[in-house]
Amino acid sequence: MTGVQTCALPICRVLGDEHPDTLISINNMGRLFHVQGKYDEAMVHYTEALETQRRVLGDEHPDTLWSINSMGRLFHVQGKYDEAMVHYNSALQPVRSMRGYGQPATLTTKNITGCPLSAPCKYHPARVHLSPDAPP
């Protein structure tokens, strides 16, 4: 890993830089910065966790998909709806193929995907994503 702050986490020293629990902790540090409004710091942590998860766990691992959603939420809160949609959709597609359209995880991910579209002037596309009977 390349992050300076994250390498100081005790979990890195105990489990190693690429252990799934370490990567979750790095993502959680990103979330902490995210909710504090420290978006640049959040992005550093989210990026570090996501890049390593993709390499170590694969693109469709649930932890990787969670990190993709985290980045989507970060873009969403900053009003960067197009970038948020890219991340939300990249998390939604594997969930759909792994779990099917009607499963709770798919519906939850689909609900998250509709959120950034709820900005004014994009309401109708959000309805398509949020509607329970919308096509997959």
Side-chain angles (χ1 to χ4, degrees), residues 13-24:
R13 292 190 300 273
V14 174
L15 298 177
D17 291 346
E18 296 183 346
H19 190 280
D21 291 344
T22 300
L23 301 174
I24 289 170

Side-chain angles (χ1 to χ4, degrees), residues 68 72 75 80-92 116:
I68 293 168
F75 287 124
K80 299 176 181 178
Y81 301 118
D82 291 340
E83 293 174 66
M85 281 305 300
V86 168
H87 286 81
Y88 288 147
N89 281 325
S90 69
L92 177 60

Side-chain angles (χ1 to χ4, degrees), residues 49-68:
L50 180 57
E51 287 176 357
T52 307
Q53 286 168 325
R54 281 186 161 145
R55 186 171 42 77
V56 173
L57 303 173
D59 288 335
E60 295 186 354
H61 189 278
D63 292 351
T64 305
L65 298 175
W66 184 260
S67 291
I68 293 168

Side-chain angles (χ1 to χ4, degrees), residues 12 14 19 24 30 35 44 65 67 77 79 85-87 90 96 112 114 117 120-121 125 128 131:
C12 290
V14 174
H19 190 280
I24 289 170
V35 299
V44 169
L65 298 175
S67 291
V77 76
M85 281 305 300
V86 168
H87 286 81
S90 69
R96 277 186 180 159
I112 291 169
L117 292 177
C121 82
V128 171
S131 173

Side-chain angles (χ1 to χ4, degrees), residues 35-55:
V35 299
Q36 292 176 342
K38 299 177 180 178
Y39 302 137
D40 291 339
E41 292 95 335
M43 182 57 77
V44 169
H45 286 77
Y46 286 157
T47 300
E48 184 171 355
L50 180 57
E51 287 176 357
T52 307
Q53 286 168 325
R54 281 186 161 145
R55 186 171 42 77

